[in-house]
Amino acid sequence: CRLVGSEMCIRDSLQAALSALDERSREVLSRRWLAEQKATLQELAGEYGVSAERIRQIEGNALKKVRSEMEA
């Protein structure tokens, strides 16, 4: 981006970072942070058939990857 820090640049960077994630990680982050009606760890755990702790781990790993992609 030419205008570092501009809203458009940030949006493009975030979109690219999210697209680098696998579908489940992208869905977990989207539903936990970007959705108007945010999902809880327990709700997502029930839907995916895993523990809330596993959803938290997926979310943490996805956030690390997004941060890394946006810094690149």
Side-chain angles (χ1 to χ4, degrees), residues 2-72:
R2 287 186 296 178
L3 298 174
V4 175
S6 73
E7 185 176 330
M8 186 67 79
C9 183
I10 292 169
R11 188 177 302 127
D12 290 347
S13 294
L14 180 58
Q15 195 67 28
L18 287 173
S19 69
L21 297 174
D22 63 272
E23 186 177 343
R24 180 173 65 173
S25 296
R26 187 172 42 253
E27 181 72 16
V28 166
L29 276 190
S30 294
R31 299 220 14 234
R32 289 276 295 150
W33 294 97
L34 303 175
E36 208 170 293
Q37 184 87 358
K38 295 180 180 29
T40 65
L41 293 172
Q42 290 75 18
E43 289 170 340
L44 291 170
E47 291 176 27
Y48 284 102
V50 297
S51 68
E53 174 62 19
R54 181 65 188 130
I55 295 295
R56 189 195 63 72
Q57 291 169 353
I58 292 167
E59 177 185 34
N61 289 334
L63 286 171
K64 282 181 194 175
K65 189 166 187 176
V66 166
R67 284 185 198 112
S68 174
E69 289 285 331
M70 290 187 72
E71 289 172 357

